[in-house]
């Protein structure tokens, strides 16, 4: 019977279309991460700019135009480096937040399941007691699965 069913080979385009679409989890949508990454980028650029300008004018004794040119390039590099570091740090923080939330949700689901099982057991005990009080033999009722 299984030999009668033709096998279907998916092309790469079909496989890409079968993948779930959506935004997923993005740091740009995380309010604290977005703010802190922006602050880190600003400070990274400013500190690199000021540091290179100070070094260029102080110890290297370069003229102002050359020192400012180097400081601008260093500011851009500092901006990008600070962005990369902040992205990495916040990626780990966001994943830790997600894991903490997942653990909390699992614990809540387990507590709800235990409470539901307790309520079912109480209801079965009350039903058995009511049947015995009425003089009928206790018939075990099947527990619905689900």
């Amino acid at each position: 019977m299984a030999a009668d069913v033709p096998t279907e080979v998916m092309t790469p385009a079909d496989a890409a279309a079968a993948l779930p679409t959506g935004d997923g989890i993005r740091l740009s949508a995380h309010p604290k991460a977005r703010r802190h990454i922006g602050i880190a980028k600003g400070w990274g650029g400013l500190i690199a700019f000021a540091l290179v300008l100070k070094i260029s004018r102080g110890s290297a004794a370069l003229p102002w135009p050359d020192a400012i040119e180097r400081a601008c390039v260093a500011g851009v590099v500092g901006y990008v480096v600070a962005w990369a570091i902040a992205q990495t740090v916040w990626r780990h923080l966001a994943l830790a937040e997600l894991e903490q939330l997942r653990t909390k949700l699992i614990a809540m689901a387990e507590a709800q399941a235990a409470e539901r099982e307790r309520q079912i057991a109480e209801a079965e005990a009350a039903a058995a007691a009511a049947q015995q009080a009425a003089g009928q033999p206790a018939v075990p009722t099947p527990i619905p699965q689900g």
Side-chain angles (χ1 to χ4, degrees):
M1 187 69 130
D4 296 338
V5 178
T7 58
E8 183 177 325
V9 177
M10 292 182 71
T11 64
D14 292 338
L19 291 176
T21 59
D23 292 342
I25 300 170
R26 298 185 169 277
L27 289 179
S28 61
H30 192 289
K32 288 191 289 184
R34 186 175 52 224
R35 187 179 71 233
H36 287 140
I37 290 170
I39 290 170
K41 290 189 302 186
W43 279 108
L46 282 174
I47 290 171
F49 177 87
L51 186 65
V52 170
L53 184 63
K54 174 74 174 153
I55 292 171
S56 296
R57 282 297 295 158
S59 60
L62 290 175
W64 277 105
D66 292 340
I68 290 175
E69 180 183 0
R70 286 184 181 192
C72 285
V73 170
V76 170
V77 169
Y79 176 92
V80 171
V81 168
W83 170 77
I85 292 171
Q87 284 280 333
T88 302
V89 167
W90 268 102
R91 186 176 304 123
H92 289 290
L93 289 174
L95 289 175
E97 286 178 358
L98 283 174
E99 181 62 26
Q100 182 182 15
L101 178 62
R102 186 185 72 81
T103 304
K104 181 180 175 182
L105 289 174
I106 288 173
M108 286 174 49
E110 289 173 350
Q112 288 175 353
E115 177 66 19
R116 187 179 65 225
E117 291 295 325
R118 185 189 62 77
Q119 290 173 350
I120 290 171
E122 287 178 0
E124 287 177 348
Q131 285 179 350
Q132 285 180 352
Q136 298 175 354
V139 178
T141 57
I143 297 175
Q145 300 294 324

